[in-house]
Every structure is written in C-alpha cells, then in structure tokens.
Amino acid sequence: MIRPMLAKLMSFFLLGLVRVLTGAQARWYGCPPKAEQRIYFANHQSHADLVMIWAALPLELRSITRPIAAKDYWTKTPFKQWITTAVFNAIYVDRARTSDQDPLEPLIEALEHGDSIIIFPEGTRGAAEEPQPFKSGLYSLAEKFPNVVLVPAWIDNIQRVMPKGEVVPVPILCSVTFGAPIQLQPGEERRAFLDRARQAVVALRDV
C-alpha cells in the first residue's frame, strides 16, 4: 500500500517539477488526445525526452502509455530504476543486447498487452536540429500492429533544459506538438515509410 502511494506522490511531484521547469505545453494538431492504443514517435535529443512527453500527456493517457527507456542509463541507480518502473511504467530497451536478442520484443509484449507506447525511432540522441534517419523498429511495429494509431510528435527545446553531460536542469519553455496520425500503406517499402514518418515529425517543428 505504501509503495503505490509513494509512486503516486512522486508522479505528482515530477509532473509539477517538469511543468515548472519547462511548461510541458502540449499542442495537438491533426488529432485530439484520445484513449486509444497508439504509438507516439518523436525526435530524441535528451534523456529528459522521456519525462517531457510523459508530462505533456493528459492523465488519462499517461496511465495507459509507456515510454521506452535505455536500460543501461535508467537502471544505473536504484532511484532511477524505481522512477522508471514505478512512476513511468517504462519499457526497458537493452542497448547492450546480444545478437540473438530481438530489441523489439519488450515493445511487442507491451502492444500485445494493449498498452500505448512512446518511442524514439532515431535510436540514440542527436545533436542536430533535425532528427537522424529513423531505424527500422517503427516500420516493424507498424507492420505487426496495423490497427495501432501512429502519432508523430516534435519535442521542442528540451535539449536546452538538460544538455548532454549536464546534471542540473535549466528552466526553459518547452512544448510537445502532436501531429496527424500516419499509416503504413499497402506495399510501402521500409525506407520510404521511415523517411515519411521522419518528415511527419520534422513538419511539426514550425507548426
């Protein structure tokens, strides 16, 4: 009983902290916030991306949406592991996996369970203004789960709140812009789809 209550209190605390530091402004273009199964895919420039997009979602969506988290980073300390497990209900992705491991397995399990997920198709944080080319995971998930709604998102300014290598956040107004859903078209090739998905994210930068 105490642990769930502690997780709930930490959730409220983090939500308040993120909103004080960033504003955590959510802007919905092309789709409303809706409690349906979705894959949110966004640009990736900071470890704080996970927290930012989680905080931007309304409560009813946060409770059914699981962000992915790099296992090597988010399990470094018991506190980080507890937050990502108890508060964010994150899906750990092992970047040091062996060749016989399917990196998508934990995401597939979450989607089969009915969860929505948040992914960063670049696979690693970028430093440029535009996202790096998307890796194939998003295509594979779209192919395997054709009824799950694919929603692009652009996270703005979060890299300035927590620059790479820094540990103290700086208050900067940030936002997450959610765009119109896209679909994998019949017969669409992998790279064509990934390039189109990446462009859907980039197009939200100036909305």
Side-chain angles (χ1 to χ4, degrees):
M1 182 67 180
I2 294 177
R3 287 186 176 180
M5 186 177 296
L6 184 59
K8 189 173 183 179
L9 290 173
M10 179 58 74
S11 176
F12 285 128
F13 171 76
L14 284 174
L15 187 61
L17 178 63
V18 171
R19 288 181 174 172
V20 166
L21 288 173
T22 70
Q25 180 184 6
R27 303 189 300 171
W28 296 88
Y29 287 85
C31 73
K34 185 178 179 181
E36 62 184 1
Q37 192 176 25
R38 292 176 168 181
I39 297 174
Y40 299 94
F41 59 98
N43 57 315
H44 189 28
Q45 295 191 329
S46 167
H47 283 304
D49 290 339
L50 177 159
V51 184
M52 177 66 190
I53 198 167
W54 170 85
L57 292 173
L59 176 61
E60 64 271 20
L61 298 190
R62 287 201 305 274
S63 64
I64 60 173
T65 305
R66 304 179 63 189
I68 67 167
K71 186 176 182 179
D72 59 307
Y73 177 82
W74 287 103
T75 60
K76 274 186 178 180
T77 67
F79 181 67
K80 282 183 180 179
Q81 185 167 0
W82 177 77
I83 282 182
T84 47
T85 301
V87 178
F88 301 136
N89 192 23
I91 305 166
Y92 289 124
V93 175
D94 191 353
R95 296 188 291 189
R97 63 187 180 274
T98 60
S99 58
D100 60 342
Q101 290 178 305
D102 182 358
L104 296 180
E105 184 177 346
L107 283 71
I108 291 171
E109 288 179 358
L111 289 167
E112 288 177 339
H113 189 260
D115 298 323
S116 292
I117 63 174
I118 301 167
I119 67 172
F120 305 100
E122 294 169 80
T124 186
R125 289 177 294 162
E129 290 186 6
E130 291 195 358
Q132 301 173 77
F134 282 5
K135 295 187 176 179
S136 62
L138 179 61
Y139 175 84
S140 298
L141 294 175
E143 191 174 40
K144 188 173 181 64
F145 298 95
N147 294 323
V148 176
V149 180
L150 307 176
V151 178
W154 177 265
I155 304 173
D156 189 46
N157 263 351
I158 194 66
Q159 73 277 13
R160 296 173 61 191
V161 175
M162 185 68 78
K164 194 170 184 177
E166 298 295 327
V167 294
V168 179
V170 179
I172 297 286
L173 186 63
C174 301
S175 64
V176 180
T177 303
F178 298 93
I182 68 169
Q183 287 183 311
L184 176 63
Q185 300 300 318
E188 187 172 17
E189 295 184 356
R190 180 178 60 183
R191 180 42 54 191
F193 169 78
L194 294 173
D195 288 346
R196 185 163 63 86
R198 178 181 175 278
Q199 186 54 43
V201 171
V202 173
L204 298 172
R205 179 179 52 188
D206 301 320
V207 170

